[in-house]
Amino acid sequence: MPRLYNYAYEILSEEIKKLSKEDLTGEIGQKIVMKRLEKLRMQSGEPVKLEELRPLIIDQYPTFSEKVLKQAVKENHPTGKAILFQLGGLAVLGVAGLVWVANLPYPMIRRPVASVAPMVLLPSYISMDRNYREAIAKTEQADQLINKATSSADINLGSERVAEAQKHLDGLPVWFLGYYPQRYCTFFSCSWQFTVDEFDRARKRVGQIEARAFQEKNAQKLLTEAEKTITTAKQQYEQATTPTDKQQAIADWQAAIDKLEQIPPTTLAGKMVKPKLAATKRDFQIEAGLAKGSKLSFTFMQVAKQFGMQAAIAAQNGPHPEQQWQVVASLWEQAINQLQKIPGDNPAYLEAQTKLGEYQVNLANVKMRLQAEKESKIAFKQAKNLIADWQRYAVDNTSNRGILANKIQLIINQLENIKPGTTYYKEAQELLIFAKNKQKNL
């Protein structure tokens, strides 16, 4: 209980207001004392006594009436009105509690009350009326928003409305549908018919709208994901520096198009994507074709480089016989053939042409070596024949130095025709030294 009751507080307050007009303390002193009194009103405990109350006021108002102080202390207790008010409040709370219990959603409570004192169930009737009206209104709104949606915002709002409609339907007690509130409807306008059939129809309709909303939201999700994937795939394709990266971007692009095709055509998303799908496919086919050509050209380039590498390896550590140079030439020709397959509109065309020029020079060098090997072979064979002839003639005609000298010169001429860098050159040089020595001796 408060230490300073309202009536005592009012007695003191009136006297303070009166003195504030006459005293120099004025408004400031009034605020200080009133704040102290308010604090006493907020405190719980025994009522304040005269000895405790006097110093709280006298320091600001020395002329404060002792009589008023004593009167305030005397009246500092609960008034009869306050007690009656509290008792009345308790009574109201008791009645409210009984009404609350009677309106609990339990058939064993409501049914007896409905038959004996139906007006006690007025809160239930009001709630049922409100839930019914709201359920019908929210269902209509959801139906309009979802089945005639023009944007994803309509679908989201429709989903919220159908959830609200379901909540209001859940607020209608199914077991109570047969108890038509006649007295309530006598005083208030009832817009519903509490029948099980109508309730079932409303439930069914809400279920259909929920299913439709779920399908629409899934379609919107597919559309959003597919469009995002297509945008990302296009960026990755444009930024790709290798055929592998381009192929990955193309694969992601194709997967996104597959998602677009999965969207039901009867949904809003399906209707929105229909005009976009043809253009998306067309762009994809163009880019995919370029990517395919790029991949094929990359393959040609890689194969050409492999042939070139094998040709370079085969040409190492020469000189080589005619057959070896023919193999090297064949490898360079195959490398050149691969490069020539890359079209002019392909991004790899410039690199292919650079390599093509390099490989053609290498092929020309190999062909020159092959030709030198062939000519050296012929010259070496002829030189060997001449040496054999000279040896036979020298045995039988050692005295005819002029003829021997002419034959040695022919041998020297043939040996000098053998080119450096051929397989015959080393042996030809040894025979050439031998021939020149014989020529000097003659």
Side-chain angles (χ1 to χ4, degrees):
M1 299 181 72
R3 299 197 65 201
L4 183 64
Y5 286 90
N6 289 340
Y7 188 57
Y9 174 79
E10 290 174 3
I11 292 171
L12 296 171
S13 178
E14 288 296 328
E15 185 66 18
I16 290 169
K17 289 179 182 177
K18 180 180 176 182
L19 290 175
S20 295
K21 294 178 181 179
E22 303 171 357
D23 202 318
L24 294 175
T25 307
E27 186 178 354
I28 297 174
Q30 182 181 0
K31 287 183 177 180
I32 293 171
V33 175
M34 294 304 292
K35 189 173 182 180
R36 292 171 180 173
L37 297 179
E38 284 289 345
K39 188 175 181 181
L40 286 173
R41 291 180 72 189
M42 301 299 294
Q43 291 178 353
S44 298
E46 295 182 358
V48 66
K49 296 180 180 180
L50 181 63
E51 293 76 12
E52 186 180 358
L53 182 61
R54 185 185 293 114
L56 298 177
I57 300 175
I58 294 301
D59 67 334
Q60 296 295 325
Y61 296 98
T63 61
F64 198 89
S65 173
E66 184 73 13
K67 181 180 179 181
V68 174
L69 283 171
K70 290 179 179 179
Q71 183 185 0
V73 171
K74 183 180 179 180
E75 298 294 337
N76 190 26
H77 56 75
T79 62
K81 289 183 179 179
I83 294 171
L84 289 174
F85 180 77
Q86 290 176 359
L87 292 174
L90 291 173
V92 170
L93 288 174
V95 173
L98 290 173
V99 173
W100 177 78
V101 171
N103 282 273
L104 287 173
Y106 302 115
M108 66 286 296
I109 297 176
R110 282 194 183 182
R111 280 175 180 168
V113 176
S115 59
V116 177
M119 292 307 292
V120 175
L121 298 178
L122 184 63
S124 294
Y125 295 145
I126 293 173
S127 175
M128 291 165 68
D129 187 22
R130 181 179 62 82
N131 282 326
Y132 179 83
R133 293 174 187 271
E134 289 295 327
I136 296 300
K138 300 298 183 185
T139 302
E140 293 294 337
Q141 292 174 15
D143 186 26
Q144 183 73 16
L145 286 166
I146 292 175
N147 290 320
K148 296 183 180 179
T150 57
S151 66
S152 58
D154 290 346
I155 295 169
N156 293 332
L157 184 58
S159 299
E160 293 176 8
R161 292 291 180 267
V162 77
E164 292 170 3
Q166 183 64 62
K167 184 178 179 181
H168 287 299
L169 281 176
D170 292 339
L172 293 172
V174 181
W175 61 268
F176 205 64
L177 295 180
Y179 290 83
Y180 185 72
Q182 295 178 354
R183 294 191 182 182
Y184 173 79
C185 292
T186 302
F187 297 100
F188 304 95
S189 175
C190 296
S191 59
W192 76 93
Q193 298 294 325
F194 279 93
T195 64
V196 177
D197 290 341
E198 185 183 9
F199 185 81
D200 288 341
R201 284 196 298 270
R203 285 277 194 191
K204 185 177 180 181
R205 188 179 180 194
V206 168
Q208 291 171 345
I209 296 173
E210 282 183 332
R212 177 72 177 181
F214 181 77
Q215 185 185 36
E216 288 285 353
K217 292 182 82 171
N218 276 348
Q220 287 291 331
K221 184 180 178 181
L222 275 175
L223 176 59
T224 302
E225 290 177 354
E227 287 180 339
K228 184 178 179 180
T229 304
I230 287 173
T231 302
T232 304
K234 282 184 176 180
Q235 292 175 351
Q236 290 175 346
Y237 179 81
E238 291 171 358
Q239 296 171 3
T241 55
T242 65
T244 303
D245 292 341
K246 286 187 179 291
Q247 287 301 312
Q248 183 59 52
I250 287 293
D252 294 342
W253 198 342
Q254 179 64 64
I257 291 175
D258 293 341
K259 272 190 179 181
L260 290 179
E261 291 178 333
Q262 292 173 9
I263 298 175
T266 55
T267 61
L268 174 64
K271 295 174 184 176
M272 292 171 63
V273 79
K274 188 176 180 181
K276 298 180 182 178
L277 189 57
T280 303
K281 284 184 175 180
R282 183 183 64 246
D283 294 344
F284 172 75
Q285 287 170 356
I286 293 172
E287 298 299 337
L290 291 175
K292 185 177 180 181
S294 178
K295 182 180 179 182
L296 189 60
S297 296
F298 177 77
T299 303
F300 289 149
M301 180 70 75
Q302 292 301 106
V303 172
K305 288 179 179 180
Q306 288 296 322
F307 278 124
M309 184 183 298
Q310 293 300 320
I313 293 171
Q316 290 176 354
N317 303 321
H320 299 298
E322 180 183 344
Q323 292 80 5
Q324 181 73 5
W325 287 120
Q326 287 176 344
V327 170
V328 175
S330 176
L331 289 171
W332 283 121
E333 286 172 351
Q334 291 185 64
I336 291 169
N337 182 49
Q338 294 295 319
L339 294 174
Q340 288 174 339
K341 293 177 181 178
I342 299 176
D345 59 350
N346 192 277
Y349 181 74
L350 182 60
E351 183 185 359
Q353 290 300 304
T354 303
K355 283 288 181 185
L356 185 62
E358 178 186 336
Y359 289 0
Q360 286 175 337
V361 170
N362 292 340
L363 177 60
N365 290 334
V366 169
K367 286 184 175 180
M368 290 171 60
R369 287 181 174 247
L370 176 60
Q371 185 63 30
E373 187 70 22
K374 288 179 178 180
E375 292 175 355
S376 297
K377 179 181 178 181
I378 295 171
F380 188 77
K381 186 177 180 181
Q382 290 177 351
K384 292 283 280 187
N385 291 335
L386 288 172
I387 291 171
D389 183 59
W390 175 81
Q391 288 175 338
R392 287 193 302 270
Y393 189 84
V395 172
D396 298 333
N397 301 282
T398 53
S399 59
N400 195 343
R401 292 178 178 273
I403 295 175
L404 290 174
N406 289 333
K407 287 184 178 292
I408 286 292
Q409 186 60 49
L410 290 173
I411 292 170
I412 291 171
N413 292 340
Q414 286 298 325
L415 291 173
E416 288 178 342
N417 287 332
I418 296 173
K419 304 293 192 295
T422 62
T423 56
Y424 303 97
Y425 184 73
K426 183 179 179 181
E427 188 177 355
Q429 290 300 304
E430 292 174 356
L431 291 174
L432 187 60
I433 293 170
F434 172 77
K436 287 183 177 182
N437 287 333
K438 287 294 184 182
Q439 189 181 43
K440 288 180 181 178
N441 293 333
L442 289 173

Short mmCIF file of all heavy atoms in Angstrom, two decimals, residues 62-107:
data_model
loop_
_atom_site.label_atom_id
_atom_site.label_comp_id
_atom_site.label_asym_id
_atom_site.label_seq_id
_atom_site.Cartn_x
_atom_site.Cartn_y
_atom_site.Cartn_z
N PRO A 62 8.29 27.57 5.24
CA PRO A 62 8.36 27.68 6.71
C PRO A 62 7.01 28.04 7.34
O PRO A 62 6.76 27.69 8.49
CB PRO A 62 9.39 28.79 6.94
CG PRO A 62 10.20 28.81 5.67
CD PRO A 62 9.25 28.48 4.57
N THR A 63 6.15 28.69 6.61
CA THR A 63 4.86 29.14 7.15
C THR A 63 3.74 28.14 6.90
O THR A 63 2.56 28.47 7.05
CB THR A 63 4.48 30.49 6.52
OG1 THR A 63 4.36 30.32 5.10
CG2 THR A 63 5.52 31.56 6.82
N PHE A 64 4.14 26.91 6.45
CA PHE A 64 3.11 25.91 6.14
C PHE A 64 2.29 25.59 7.39
O PHE A 64 2.83 25.39 8.49
CB PHE A 64 3.77 24.64 5.62
CG PHE A 64 2.83 23.74 4.88
CD1 PHE A 64 2.63 23.87 3.51
CD2 PHE A 64 2.10 22.77 5.56
CE1 PHE A 64 1.77 23.04 2.83
CE2 PHE A 64 1.22 21.94 4.89
CZ PHE A 64 1.05 22.07 3.52
N SER A 65 0.96 25.53 7.24
CA SER A 65 0.02 25.34 8.36
C SER A 65 0.19 23.97 9.00
O SER A 65 0.15 22.94 8.33
CB SER A 65 -1.42 25.51 7.87
OG SER A 65 -2.33 25.18 8.89
N GLU A 66 0.39 24.01 10.36
CA GLU A 66 0.49 22.77 11.11
C GLU A 66 -0.83 22.03 11.09
O GLU A 66 -0.88 20.80 11.08
CB GLU A 66 0.90 23.09 12.56
CG GLU A 66 1.13 21.87 13.42
CD GLU A 66 2.43 21.15 13.07
OE1 GLU A 66 3.27 21.73 12.32
OE2 GLU A 66 2.62 20.00 13.50
N LYS A 67 -1.90 22.79 11.03
CA LYS A 67 -3.23 22.20 11.02
C LYS A 67 -3.44 21.37 9.75
O LYS A 67 -4.00 20.26 9.79
CB LYS A 67 -4.27 23.32 11.11
CG LYS A 67 -5.71 22.83 11.13
CD LYS A 67 -6.67 24.01 11.22
CE LYS A 67 -8.12 23.52 11.20
NZ LYS A 67 -9.08 24.66 11.26
N VAL A 68 -2.97 21.90 8.62
CA VAL A 68 -3.10 21.17 7.34
C VAL A 68 -2.27 19.90 7.37
O VAL A 68 -2.69 18.85 6.86
CB VAL A 68 -2.71 22.08 6.17
CG1 VAL A 68 -2.69 21.30 4.86
CG2 VAL A 68 -3.64 23.27 6.07
N LEU A 69 -1.09 20.00 7.97
CA LEU A 69 -0.23 18.82 8.06
C LEU A 69 -0.92 17.71 8.85
O LEU A 69 -0.93 16.54 8.45
CB LEU A 69 1.09 19.16 8.72
CG LEU A 69 2.13 19.91 7.85
CD1 LEU A 69 3.30 20.36 8.71
CD2 LEU A 69 2.62 19.00 6.73
N LYS A 70 -1.51 18.08 10.00
CA LYS A 70 -2.18 17.09 10.84
C LYS A 70 -3.41 16.51 10.13
O LYS A 70 -3.68 15.31 10.24
CB LYS A 70 -2.59 17.73 12.16
CG LYS A 70 -1.40 18.06 13.05
CD LYS A 70 -1.86 18.72 14.35
CE LYS A 70 -0.66 19.02 15.25
NZ LYS A 70 -1.08 19.68 16.53
N GLN A 71 -4.12 17.38 9.41
CA GLN A 71 -5.30 16.88 8.68
C GLN A 71 -4.89 15.87 7.60
O GLN A 71 -5.56 14.85 7.42
CB GLN A 71 -6.05 18.06 8.05
CG GLN A 71 -7.34 17.63 7.34
CD GLN A 71 -8.02 18.79 6.62
OE1 GLN A 71 -7.53 19.92 6.66
NE2 GLN A 71 -9.14 18.50 5.97
N ALA A 72 -3.80 16.18 6.91
CA ALA A 72 -3.33 15.28 5.86
C ALA A 72 -2.92 13.93 6.45
O ALA A 72 -3.23 12.87 5.89
CB ALA A 72 -2.15 15.91 5.12
N VAL A 73 -2.23 13.97 7.62
CA VAL A 73 -1.82 12.72 8.26
C VAL A 73 -3.05 11.94 8.70
O VAL A 73 -3.11 10.70 8.59
CB VAL A 73 -0.89 13.02 9.45
CG1 VAL A 73 -0.63 11.76 10.27
CG2 VAL A 73 0.43 13.61 8.96
N LYS A 74 -4.05 12.65 9.18
CA LYS A 74 -5.28 12.00 9.64
C LYS A 74 -6.03 11.33 8.49
O LYS A 74 -6.60 10.23 8.66
CB LYS A 74 -6.17 13.05 10.31
CG LYS A 74 -7.45 12.48 10.90
CD LYS A 74 -8.27 13.59 11.54
CE LYS A 74 -9.58 13.02 12.11
NZ LYS A 74 -10.41 14.07 12.75
N GLU A 75 -6.05 11.97 7.34
CA GLU A 75 -6.79 11.45 6.18
C GLU A 75 -5.94 10.51 5.31
O GLU A 75 -6.37 10.10 4.24
CB GLU A 75 -7.29 12.60 5.32
CG GLU A 75 -8.26 13.54 6.00
CD GLU A 75 -9.56 12.84 6.34
OE1 GLU A 75 -9.91 11.82 5.70
OE2 GLU A 75 -10.26 13.32 7.26
N ASN A 76 -4.72 10.20 5.74
CA ASN A 76 -3.82 9.37 4.94
C ASN A 76 -4.16 7.89 5.11
O ASN A 76 -3.46 7.13 5.78
CB ASN A 76 -2.37 9.64 5.37
CG ASN A 76 -1.38 8.98 4.41
OD1 ASN A 76 -1.70 8.77 3.25
ND2 ASN A 76 -0.20 8.66 4.90
N HIS A 77 -5.26 7.46 4.47
CA HIS A 77 -5.70 6.06 4.48
C HIS A 77 -6.63 5.86 3.30
O HIS A 77 -7.14 6.83 2.73
CB HIS A 77 -6.40 5.73 5.81
CG HIS A 77 -7.56 6.63 6.13
ND1 HIS A 77 -8.78 6.54 5.50
CD2 HIS A 77 -7.64 7.68 7.00
CE1 HIS A 77 -9.59 7.46 5.97
NE2 HIS A 77 -8.92 8.18 6.88
N PRO A 78 -6.91 4.60 2.89
CA PRO A 78 -7.81 4.37 1.75
C PRO A 78 -9.20 4.90 2.02
O PRO A 78 -9.74 4.72 3.12
CB PRO A 78 -7.83 2.84 1.60
CG PRO A 78 -6.64 2.36 2.36
CD PRO A 78 -6.40 3.35 3.45
N THR A 79 -9.79 5.55 1.02
CA THR A 79 -11.14 6.09 1.16
C THR A 79 -12.16 5.01 0.90
O THR A 79 -11.87 3.96 0.30
CB THR A 79 -11.37 7.24 0.16
OG1 THR A 79 -11.24 6.70 -1.16
CG2 THR A 79 -10.35 8.35 0.36
N GLY A 80 -13.40 5.24 1.31
CA GLY A 80 -14.47 4.27 1.06
C GLY A 80 -14.72 4.06 -0.42
O GLY A 80 -14.97 2.95 -0.89
N LYS A 81 -14.61 5.13 -1.20
CA LYS A 81 -14.82 5.03 -2.65
C LYS A 81 -13.76 4.12 -3.28
O LYS A 81 -14.05 3.33 -4.17
CB LYS A 81 -14.75 6.42 -3.29
CG LYS A 81 -15.95 7.29 -2.95
CD LYS A 81 -15.85 8.62 -3.67
CE LYS A 81 -17.05 9.51 -3.36
NZ LYS A 81 -16.95 10.82 -4.03
N ALA A 82 -12.55 4.28 -2.80
CA ALA A 82 -11.47 3.45 -3.36
C ALA A 82 -11.70 1.98 -3.09
O ALA A 82 -11.50 1.13 -3.95
CB ALA A 82 -10.13 3.90 -2.77
N ILE A 83 -12.20 1.71 -1.83
CA ILE A 83 -12.46 0.32 -1.48
C ILE A 83 -13.57 -0.24 -2.34
O ILE A 83 -13.49 -1.37 -2.87
CB ILE A 83 -12.81 0.21 0.01
CG1 ILE A 83 -11.60 0.59 0.87
CG2 ILE A 83 -13.30 -1.19 0.36
CD1 ILE A 83 -11.90 0.71 2.34
N LEU A 84 -14.63 0.59 -2.48
CA LEU A 84 -15.74 0.15 -3.34
C LEU A 84 -15.28 -0.07 -4.77
O LEU A 84 -15.71 -1.01 -5.45
CB LEU A 84 -16.88 1.19 -3.29
CG LEU A 84 -17.67 1.27 -1.97
CD1 LEU A 84 -18.66 2.43 -2.01
CD2 LEU A 84 -18.40 -0.04 -1.71
N PHE A 85 -14.41 0.83 -5.24
CA PHE A 85 -13.91 0.70 -6.61
C PHE A 85 -13.12 -0.60 -6.79
O PHE A 85 -13.27 -1.31 -7.79
CB PHE A 85 -13.03 1.91 -6.93
CG PHE A 85 -12.47 1.88 -8.32
CD1 PHE A 85 -13.25 2.20 -9.41
CD2 PHE A 85 -11.14 1.50 -8.53
CE1 PHE A 85 -12.73 2.16 -10.69
CE2 PHE A 85 -10.62 1.45 -9.80
CZ PHE A 85 -11.42 1.79 -10.89
N GLN A 86 -12.32 -0.91 -5.76
CA GLN A 86 -11.54 -2.15 -5.84
C GLN A 86 -12.43 -3.37 -5.82
O GLN A 86 -12.23 -4.33 -6.57
CB GLN A 86 -10.55 -2.20 -4.66
CG GLN A 86 -9.42 -1.17 -4.77
CD GLN A 86 -8.53 -1.18 -3.55
OE1 GLN A 86 -8.75 -1.95 -2.61
NE2 GLN A 86 -7.52 -0.31 -3.57
N LEU A 87 -13.44 -3.32 -4.97
CA LEU A 87 -14.37 -4.44 -4.92
C LEU A 87 -15.12 -4.59 -6.23
O LEU A 87 -15.35 -5.70 -6.73
CB LEU A 87 -15.37 -4.25 -3.76
CG LEU A 87 -14.78 -4.36 -2.35
CD1 LEU A 87 -15.84 -4.00 -1.30
CD2 LEU A 87 -14.25 -5.76 -2.09
N GLY A 88 -15.50 -3.43 -6.79
CA GLY A 88 -16.19 -3.46 -8.09
C GLY A 88 -15.30 -4.02 -9.18
O GLY A 88 -15.74 -4.79 -10.04
N GLY A 89 -14.03 -3.63 -9.12
CA GLY A 89 -13.09 -4.16 -10.11
C GLY A 89 -12.95 -5.64 -10.01
O GLY A 89 -12.90 -6.36 -11.01
N LEU A 90 -12.88 -6.13 -8.75
CA LEU A 90 -12.78 -7.58 -8.57
C LEU A 90 -14.01 -8.29 -9.09
O LEU A 90 -13.92 -9.37 -9.70
CB LEU A 90 -12.59 -7.90 -7.08
CG LEU A 90 -11.23 -7.48 -6.48
CD1 LEU A 90 -11.24 -7.69 -4.97
CD2 LEU A 90 -10.10 -8.27 -7.12
N ALA A 91 -15.19 -7.65 -8.88
CA ALA A 91 -16.43 -8.26 -9.37
C ALA A 91 -16.45 -8.32 -10.89
O ALA A 91 -16.82 -9.33 -11.49
CB ALA A 91 -17.63 -7.46 -8.86
N VAL A 92 -16.00 -7.20 -11.52
CA VAL A 92 -15.95 -7.18 -12.98
C VAL A 92 -14.99 -8.24 -13.51
O VAL A 92 -15.27 -8.94 -14.48
CB VAL A 92 -15.54 -5.77 -13.49
CG1 VAL A 92 -15.25 -5.80 -14.97
CG2 VAL A 92 -16.63 -4.77 -13.18
N LEU A 93 -13.85 -8.35 -12.83
CA LEU A 93 -12.89 -9.35 -13.24
C LEU A 93 -13.46 -10.76 -13.10
O LEU A 93 -13.22 -11.64 -13.93
CB LEU A 93 -11.60 -9.23 -12.41
CG LEU A 93 -10.72 -8.03 -12.71
CD1 LEU A 93 -9.56 -7.95 -11.72
CD2 LEU A 93 -10.17 -8.11 -14.13
N GLY A 94 -14.24 -10.96 -12.03
CA GLY A 94 -14.85 -12.27 -11.85
C GLY A 94 -15.83 -12.60 -12.94
O GLY A 94 -15.83 -13.71 -13.49
N VAL A 95 -16.68 -11.62 -13.32
CA VAL A 95 -17.64 -11.84 -14.40
C VAL A 95 -16.92 -12.08 -15.72
O VAL A 95 -17.28 -12.96 -16.50
CB VAL A 95 -18.61 -10.64 -14.50
CG1 VAL A 95 -19.51 -10.78 -15.73
CG2 VAL A 95 -19.45 -10.52 -13.24
N ALA A 96 -15.87 -11.24 -15.94
CA ALA A 96 -15.11 -11.40 -17.17
C ALA A 96 -14.46 -12.77 -17.25
O ALA A 96 -14.40 -13.40 -18.30
CB ALA A 96 -14.03 -10.31 -17.26
N GLY A 97 -13.98 -13.26 -16.07
CA GLY A 97 -13.39 -14.58 -16.06
C GLY A 97 -14.40 -15.66 -16.40
O GLY A 97 -14.09 -16.60 -17.15
N LEU A 98 -15.63 -15.52 -15.87
CA LEU A 98 -16.67 -16.49 -16.18
C LEU A 98 -17.02 -16.48 -17.66
O LEU A 98 -17.19 -17.53 -18.30
CB LEU A 98 -17.92 -16.20 -15.33
CG LEU A 98 -17.79 -16.47 -13.82
CD1 LEU A 98 -19.03 -15.99 -13.10
CD2 LEU A 98 -17.58 -17.97 -13.57
N VAL A 99 -17.13 -15.25 -18.23
CA VAL A 99 -17.43 -15.14 -19.66
C VAL A 99 -16.30 -15.76 -20.49
O VAL A 99 -16.53 -16.45 -21.48
CB VAL A 99 -17.65 -13.66 -20.05
CG1 VAL A 99 -17.79 -13.52 -21.57
CG2 VAL A 99 -18.90 -13.12 -19.35
N TRP A 100 -15.06 -15.50 -20.03
CA TRP A 100 -13.91 -16.04 -20.76
C TRP A 100 -13.93 -17.57 -20.74
O TRP A 100 -13.69 -18.22 -21.74
CB TRP A 100 -12.63 -15.52 -20.10
CG TRP A 100 -11.37 -16.08 -20.72
CD1 TRP A 100 -10.79 -15.70 -21.88
CD2 TRP A 100 -10.57 -17.15 -20.19
NE1 TRP A 100 -9.68 -16.45 -22.13
CE2 TRP A 100 -9.50 -17.35 -21.11
CE3 TRP A 100 -10.64 -17.93 -19.05
CZ2 TRP A 100 -8.53 -18.32 -20.89
CZ3 TRP A 100 -9.67 -18.90 -18.84
CH2 TRP A 100 -8.63 -19.08 -19.75
N VAL A 101 -14.24 -18.14 -19.57
CA VAL A 101 -14.32 -19.59 -19.46
C VAL A 101 -15.42 -20.13 -20.35
O VAL A 101 -15.28 -21.16 -21.04
CB VAL A 101 -14.53 -20.01 -17.99
CG1 VAL A 101 -14.84 -21.50 -17.89
CG2 VAL A 101 -13.30 -19.68 -17.15
N ALA A 102 -16.59 -19.44 -20.34
CA ALA A 102 -17.72 -19.90 -21.14
C ALA A 102 -17.42 -19.87 -22.63
O ALA A 102 -17.98 -20.64 -23.42
CB ALA A 102 -18.96 -19.05 -20.85
N ASN A 103 -16.51 -18.97 -23.04
CA ASN A 103 -16.19 -18.83 -24.46
C ASN A 103 -14.95 -19.62 -24.87
O ASN A 103 -14.47 -19.46 -26.00
CB ASN A 103 -15.98 -17.35 -24.81
CG ASN A 103 -17.28 -16.60 -24.96
OD1 ASN A 103 -17.87 -16.57 -26.03
ND2 ASN A 103 -17.74 -15.99 -23.87
N LEU A 104 -14.45 -20.46 -23.98
CA LEU A 104 -13.33 -21.31 -24.39
C LEU A 104 -13.76 -22.27 -25.49
O LEU A 104 -14.91 -22.73 -25.51
CB LEU A 104 -12.82 -22.11 -23.18
CG LEU A 104 -12.05 -21.32 -22.12
CD1 LEU A 104 -11.76 -22.21 -20.92
CD2 LEU A 104 -10.76 -20.76 -22.69
N PRO A 105 -12.87 -22.60 -26.43
CA PRO A 105 -13.26 -23.42 -27.60
C PRO A 105 -13.36 -24.91 -27.27
O PRO A 105 -12.70 -25.73 -27.89
CB PRO A 105 -12.13 -23.14 -28.59
CG PRO A 105 -10.94 -22.89 -27.73
CD PRO A 105 -11.46 -22.17 -26.53
N TYR A 106 -14.20 -25.24 -26.28
CA TYR A 106 -14.40 -26.63 -25.91
C TYR A 106 -15.89 -26.95 -25.98
O TYR A 106 -16.70 -26.27 -25.33
CB TYR A 106 -13.86 -26.91 -24.51
CG TYR A 106 -12.40 -26.59 -24.35
CD1 TYR A 106 -11.97 -25.58 -23.50
CD2 TYR A 106 -11.43 -27.29 -25.08
CE1 TYR A 106 -10.62 -25.27 -23.37
CE2 TYR A 106 -10.08 -26.99 -24.95
CZ TYR A 106 -9.68 -25.99 -24.10
OH TYR A 106 -8.35 -25.69 -23.98
N PRO A 107 -16.27 -27.93 -26.73
CA PRO A 107 -17.69 -28.26 -26.89
C PRO A 107 -18.40 -28.51 -25.57
O PRO A 107 -19.55 -28.10 -25.37
CB PRO A 107 -17.67 -29.51 -27.77
CG PRO A 107 -16.37 -29.45 -28.49
CD PRO A 107 -15.42 -28.79 -27.56
#
